[in-house]
Amino acid sequence: MALPPDHDADPERCRLAARITRQYLIGARSLHDHIAAKLLAARATRVLDIGCGEGALNRALPGPPPFRLVGLDASGTLLRAHPGPRVRANALRLPFRDGAFDAAVAVDLLYRLDDPGLALREARRVLAPGGTLLVTAICRTDSPELAPVWRPEPSGFDAEDAPARVCEVFREVEVERWDAPLITLPDRAAIRDYLVARHVPRPQAAEAATRLRTPLPVTKRGSLLLARR
């Protein structure tokens, strides 16, 4: 599956979303920190980060990764900032042999794909027997504090239906749910940027930000799914 030169998957929005989380985190561990801890506890040796972006998982690890971590993304722009081994490719057609990894990660990716089931099957294919896939899914009621001005669009891989989707491909699935404040947006500019990162056009995002009080805590709702091959 060839990738055209302009295939970059909205890298500016991806960067904006990552910056907002880093800048306005309110003491909780980030999702990438949590996943990094799980990979270390599992003593993974070969990990594929699908939809790696600029390398948030790589940077969540203490020093150089203690295992081989390969980043994969469709965006050449984002990959240029990735600090480790990286491959530009599509999640629907992974350029690796069967059983090449003992763990794979897909954070904030599957809901953006037309066929998340195919991506799950590809992830399973490149996992060795007993390997683990860690994927995230966002609830339809995520960021409830912004409900007066914005609601997430339903996708093909929301937290409400993600466990059933994963169970179609993997025989064993565990679900960790989260529902807690993660960031605080201090002013209208931060609210605007948060909305822009979620595909709200900038003029509408700026107008919506004027209708909310600041500082605004934002509750993140979703699930981390751990599937074993």
Side-chain angles (χ1 to χ4, degrees):
M1 186 177 295
L3 293 170
D6 61 352
H7 193 82
D8 290 353
D10 219 344
E12 288 308 315
R13 280 200 179 96
C14 293
R15 286 173 174 154
L16 185 58
R19 178 182 66 77
I20 289 168
T21 299
R22 289 195 305 269
Q23 188 169 351
Y24 302 126
L25 196 67
I26 55 174
R29 286 200 305 180
S30 75
L31 187 55
H32 286 100
D33 290 336
H34 184 59
I35 290 173
K38 286 188 171 296
L39 293 171
L40 292 170
R43 299 182 182 275
T45 59
R46 300 163 296 156
V47 179
L48 177 63
D49 185 6
I50 307 169
C52 64
E54 294 183 321
L57 177 58
N58 193 301
R59 294 184 178 91
L61 292 161
F67 43 73
R68 178 168 175 77
L69 175 62
V70 178
L72 179 142
D73 205 284
S75 170
T77 301
L78 293 175
L79 278 177
R80 280 195 286 274
H82 192 282
R86 54 197 185 271
V87 177
R88 187 179 181 215
N90 196 302
L92 303 180
R93 190 173 180 178
L94 299 175
F96 303 103
R97 61 177 174 80
D98 295 1
F101 299 93
D102 55 19
V105 176
V107 175
D108 295 340
L109 171 70
L110 296 184
Y111 78 95
R112 296 192 272 120
L113 302 179
D114 292 333
D115 191 348
L118 177 56
L120 288 169
R121 292 192 293 274
E122 273 292 277
R124 186 183 187 279
R125 179 185 65 78
V126 302
L127 284 172
T132 302
L133 173 68
L134 298 94
V135 299
T136 63
I138 300 170
C139 281
R140 297 178 190 130
T141 57
D142 182 58
S143 307
E145 294 83 359
L146 285 104
V149 298
W150 171 79
R151 292 304 319 147
E153 290 290 333
S155 78
F157 198 78
D158 295 324
E160 289 79 359
D161 54 24
R165 297 296 303 271
V166 176
C167 281
E168 293 172 359
V169 180
F170 287 83
R171 59 181 174 83
E172 185 181 347
V173 179
E174 297 177 17
V175 180
E176 294 184 8
R177 304 189 187 280
W178 69 79
D179 185 351
L182 180 69
I183 60 176
T184 294
L185 303 175
D187 50 37
R188 290 176 177 177
I191 294 174
R192 178 202 63 207
D193 289 348
Y194 183 92
L195 293 170
V196 169
R198 279 141 190 85
H199 304 277
V200 178
R202 183 169 287 270
Q204 288 92 315
E207 189 279 329
T210 67
R211 293 188 271 140
L212 297 169
R213 292 183 177 181
T214 58
L216 183 72
V218 177
T219 299
K220 302 303 295 178
R221 293 175 176 168
S223 296
L224 172 66
L225 295 91
L226 297 86
R228 291 182 178 82
R229 189 183 189 287

